[in-house]
Amino acid sequence: MNIRVSDASARAVGRIEIDRISISLGEGVDAFEAVRDLDFSISPGELVCVLGPSGCGKSTLLGALAGHLPVTQGRLTVDEQPVVGPSPDRGIVFQQHTLFPWKRVRDNVAFGPKMRGVVRGERHRAADEILRLVGLAGFERFYPSQLSGGMQQRVEIARVLINRPRILLMDEPFGALDAQTRSMMQEVLLDIWTRIPTTTVFVTHDIEEALFLADRAIVMSARPGRVIDDIDLPFSRPRQAELVTEPGFVQLKRHIIGLLKQREGSSPLPRLSPLG
Ligand code: ADP
Ligand code: MG
């Protein structure tokens, strides 16, 4: 398997249509609406952060995109196909890694191709290639427990991307890492996403993380989660850590803090004026 920069853009796959979806959780008297009337689309190759307070339904939305959870109302499609169940086409990375502890790094990464019947030599070559890309050359024969948290998350990303998914779903993947590792992992992710352009939906409650990573930040209200803003981020790429100190960045951060402070039922803040 050859991983080339042009692949995904040439394929132009990974369009997500979220068409007026609501998702209810719980049963009977305990049933409640977790997200309400979400309505937006995501273009092929776009990196979108979904930002919102804890409990607003971000993981619920991601679970629906992954095909683990049904929507109660509305329609969810990827490249015009309704999402009806999980698929390697929609890979998901969680905060806690899900690597097999008894398998070496290479075998963890090669697991998807193995399940598809790719022969050993070929799947190991593909695994080593993608491990190089995530900065783990030399660690192929390690076990997950021998790696740091940041390195385990790199393996997790490699394990998903080796399947060349249409969609990469990330649920607060760096939430358990210390600040410095987290910041490094954000740069690693952007580097990987540049090399393997994949539609990415990255969920976080961290405003800076969303602004640093995304093409677009979708801001959700407290439960039931609704979209309260959808912001195109004007920052050029490649992005460096210093971006977070630039005036335009700080202005947007302040705007979002204001949005998230609003209590339910209050009138929406005016839209942000163009950045000067
Ligand atoms: P987020 O990821 O934004 O923190 P979640 O999507 O995990 O939020 O959860 C949305 C709401 O649904 C929360 O209030 C959470 O407590 C609740 N919740 C999540 N999963 C379940 C479940 N299986 N049964 C009942 N309530 C749930
Ligand atoms: Mg969550």
Side-chain angles (χ1 to χ4, degrees), residues 25-26 32 34 52-61 171-172 203 223:
L25 299 173
F32 66 94
S54 187
C56 77
K58 302 182 297 296
S59 295
T60 302
L61 170 63
D171 193 350
E172 314 221 18
V203 153
R223 177 173 139 185

Side-chain angles (χ1 to χ4, degrees), residues 203-214:
V203 153
T204 180
H205 64 264
D206 183 317
I207 301 175
E208 276 200 6
E209 181 164 70
L211 295 181
F212 181 76
L213 289 174

